[in-house]
Amino acid sequence: MSYVDEVLEKVRAKNASEPEFLQAVEEVLNSLRPVIDANEEMYRKEALLERLCEPERQFKFRVPWVDDNGQVQVNTGYRVQFNSAIGPYKGGLRLHPSVNTGIIKFLGFEQIFKNSLTGLPIGGGKGGSDFDPKGKSDREVMAFCQSFMTELYRYIGADTDVPAGDIGTGAREIGYLYGQYKRIRGVYEGVLTGKGLSYGGSLARKEATGYGLLYMTKEMLKSNGIDIAGKTACVSGSGNVAIYAIEKAHELGAKVITCSDSTGWVYDPEGIDVALLKEVKEVNRARLTEYAAKRPSAEYHEGRGVWSVKCDIALPCATQNELLIDDAKQLVANGCTAVCEGANMPTTLDATKYLQDNGVYFVPGKAANAGGVATSALEMSQNSERLSWTFEEVDSKLQQIMINIFHNLDEAAKKYGLPGDYVSGANIAGFEKVVDAMLAQGVC
Ligand code: NDP
């Protein structure tokens, strides 16, 4: 049995109740076969893959807080510190009822390779809670965040582990978390990223994941002789990543005609009105029905359906496993040219394979959405030097990072005889640096 198969078997046996984590490990290890097979003996002796698939440590903790009726509520908090071979752990905090150990481990595992791809010195981690900020008052969100940080603070720090936002964790939550950290530790340091501009945040961090996704998409299309201007795109989601992906797509001359949330989706043939979408989602924290009510050209549909709309480019920006095999078939039948993932693992394994087999350019999230964490690392740099860079400075570094990531993964795919396989290219390029550092640091 090959070393990859041996390790996959062990990982399946050990993590049977964590399907998302297994999905992420299978995708990564299968696509690394050419590299691992070539070094099989040494990697096996070093138990390199077993170490890579086992978090360095993970925490699970009680988060009690009091709601507006005086009732005590209890949530579960998580932080997985997966791999620190190339830098302090770095990865967001997800607040969503679906959060469990397996989801956090899948996200932390992906983060190792994504962070490595950025070329910046950041290791992989992730955290969160099954708390749902939706429908909660600001006071309730603050009570939760303060309780969450009262436990988390002992595991994090500017040089050890630097959390950030993710689904459900935006500027408001980061502010409350930061305030509590400062209060407990008595230090003013860059322990979180995605902070407000008045207390150490970076310009362009809010826009970075969505903008970065479009810089990557543009570069990938360009290298295949296609101009993004004039193309039609479908986006899913209507949160932080989706909003700024739509904004940048429009700036680059493409037209985005869909977006969605967890209850429904909008088809707007005139192109999504980003200012209105921001008002509905960022200011009013409302549903997409409000967007449709205020926009005569928009149709609102209940449930799923974004991928049934004819487009040149599909940008899934909501959550994991939201683009399924039937969606992939529909996209191909409608002549879609490219799928670039803004969310983490939004495309299932069979859907990814179908898209690739049918000639659709496919860039995985760990490369395409790396602009967020890259800019978080730029926020860390600014905090360390006690300086703030201009929007243009950060944005131009972000652009260059996304262009570099694309060329690195493109080269890695070509080097192993897999031209155009950006999934393998991203995994290989991310893996090589981490492995080099792990081997150099001995058994740890
Ligand atoms: P937000 O919470 O801002 O937005 C998430 C969007 O996806 C919302 O429109 C939400 O709808 C929708 N959504 C969430 N869960 C589900 C679900 N189970 N089914 C259907 N729709 C859902 O999160 P972000 O935009 O920050 O994150 C989106 C994705 O991008 C995630 O996969 C995240 O891990 C990834 N990502 C984010 C980065 C960042 O910088 N923010 C960086 C890199 C990756 P509703 O409001 O109705 O819940």
Side-chain angles (χ1 to χ4, degrees):
M1 196 190 282
S2 75
Y3 180 41
V4 168
D5 289 319
E6 247 173 60
V7 174
L8 280 175
E9 205 162 273
K10 284 188 209 168
V11 173
R12 279 188 211 111
K14 213 170 169 179
N15 305 277
S17 60
E18 297 169 358
E20 293 85 3
F21 177 58
L22 294 179
Q23 182 181 342
V25 171
E26 286 193 22
E27 187 250 349
V28 169
L29 294 197
N30 278 323
S31 73
L32 288 173
R33 279 179 194 274
V35 190
I36 295 166
D37 291 351
N39 298 283
E40 181 161 293
E41 201 179 323
M42 191 250 290
Y43 286 178
R44 187 187 270 121
K45 185 156 183 284
E46 293 285 338
L48 192 90
L49 297 184
E50 287 90 336
R51 283 195 272 154
L52 196 65
C53 297
E54 183 77 30
E56 288 177 20
R57 67 191 69 75
Q58 59 192 62
F59 309 103
K60 186 173 175 187
F61 48 92
R62 181 170 70 203
V63 189
W65 55 280
V66 182
D67 72 15
D68 285 346
N69 298 319
Q71 173 65 47
V72 175
Q73 302 285 343
V74 181
N75 287 99
T76 307
Y78 302 86
R79 186 73 185 165
V80 173
Q81 297 182 333
F82 224 117
N83 191 301
S84 61
I86 63 169
Y89 311 102
K90 183 92 197 81
L93 297 171
R94 177 172 293 191
L95 300 182
H96 193 271
S98 63
V99 163
N100 57 39
T101 305
I103 298 261
I104 298 300
K105 276 172 67 184
F106 119 64
L107 290 162
F109 185 71
E110 288 278 297
Q111 200 83 45
I112 302 169
F113 306 98
K114 179 191 308 197
N115 292 3
S116 167
L117 278 172
T118 65
L120 301 167
I122 38 180
K126 197 83 187 186
S129 172
D130 56 357
F131 173 78
D132 188 358
K134 224 178 281 161
K136 303 286 192 302
S137 68
D138 286 352
R139 196 210 59 80
E140 288 175 322
V141 171
M142 181 169 72
F144 167 82
C145 288
Q146 291 181 338
S147 180
F148 184 84
M149 186 52 87
T150 301
E151 185 61 30
L152 185 70
Y153 86 93
R154 57 189 98 233
Y155 311 120
I156 62 176
D159 293 316
T160 46
D161 184 352
V162 184
D166 190 73
I167 290 179
T169 307
R172 174 182 60 173
E173 290 75 15
I174 293 289
Y176 294 147
L177 291 164
Y178 190 75
Q180 186 71 353
Y181 179 85
K182 183 167 60 81
R183 204 169 155 206
I184 299 175
R185 292 290 307 276
V187 288
Y188 205 103
E189 60 171 4
V191 67
L192 293 166
T193 57
K195 298 187 292 299
L197 296 177
S198 56
Y199 63 96
S202 173
L203 286 160
R205 173 60 189 93
K206 181 175 66 175
E207 295 83 356
T209 309
Y211 279 21
L213 171 66
L214 267 295
Y215 294 144
M216 166 77 66
T217 304
K218 180 181 174 207
E219 189 67 14
M220 184 275 290
L221 290 174
K222 188 172 124 194
S223 94
N224 287 291
I226 301 169
D227 186 353
I228 193 170
K231 298 288 178 291
T232 301
C234 283
V235 165
S236 64
S238 51
N240 173 261
V241 179
I243 288 173
Y244 293 95
I246 298 170
E247 182 167 278
K248 184 53 74 176
H250 288 175
E251 274 177 43
L252 297 177
K255 180 155 89 167
V256 179
I257 53 175
T258 66
C259 64
S260 66
D261 62 20
S262 50
T263 39
W265 60 285
V266 158
Y267 170 58
D268 190 342
E270 299 282 299
I272 298 291
D273 178 339
V274 181
L276 176 58
L277 187 63
K278 284 184 187 175
E279 182 191 313
V280 171
K281 287 291 173 183
E282 292 185 338
V283 182
N284 301 345
R285 297 181 187 272
R287 313 309 301 163
L288 282 175
T289 41
E290 185 176 314
Y291 175 93
K294 291 184 172 166
R295 176 88 171 156
S297 56
E299 286 170 19
Y300 178 79
H301 301 267
E302 290 284 324
R304 308 176 67 246
V306 162
W307 314 124
S308 64
V309 176
K310 184 172 165 53
C311 64
D312 303 306
I313 304 166
L315 302 171
C317 295
T319 192
Q320 66 273 0
N321 295 331
E322 51 150 324
L323 198 163
L324 314 175
I325 182 71
D326 287 342
D327 303 320
K329 287 180 180 167
Q330 197 141 22
L331 286 170
V332 169
N334 283 339
C336 176
T337 311
V339 175
C340 300
E341 296 184 322
N344 284 312
M345 209 170 74
T347 315
T348 57
L349 291 174
D350 54 353
T352 304
K353 184 168 184 320
Y354 186 86
L355 292 167
Q356 289 184 311
D357 288 351
N358 284 278
V360 176
Y361 300 116
F362 182 90
V363 187
K366 66 171 71 69
N369 70 32
V373 75
T375 307
S376 277
L378 300 180
E379 184 174 330
M380 290 164 72
S381 300
Q382 294 170 74
N383 292 163
S384 295
E385 61 176 18
R386 306 264 193 267
L387 288 175
S388 300
W389 305 340
T390 63
F391 186 97
E392 290 69 28
E393 223 172 333
V394 180
D395 189 39
S396 84
K397 285 188 201 308
L398 168 65
Q399 262 186 75
Q400 202 49 55
I401 288 169
M402 298 313 292
I403 290 171
N404 289 346
I405 294 176
F406 174 70
H407 290 290
N408 286 344
L409 67 88
D410 191 35
E411 284 306 310
K414 286 178 182 151
K415 180 171 144 195
Y416 284 91
L418 302 161
D421 179 352
Y422 303 136
V423 173
S424 298
N427 287 331
I428 293 168
F431 174 80
E432 280 182 333
K433 182 175 168 192
V434 173
V435 162
D436 192 56
M438 284 176 74
L439 293 174
Q441 290 170 28
V443 178
C444 59

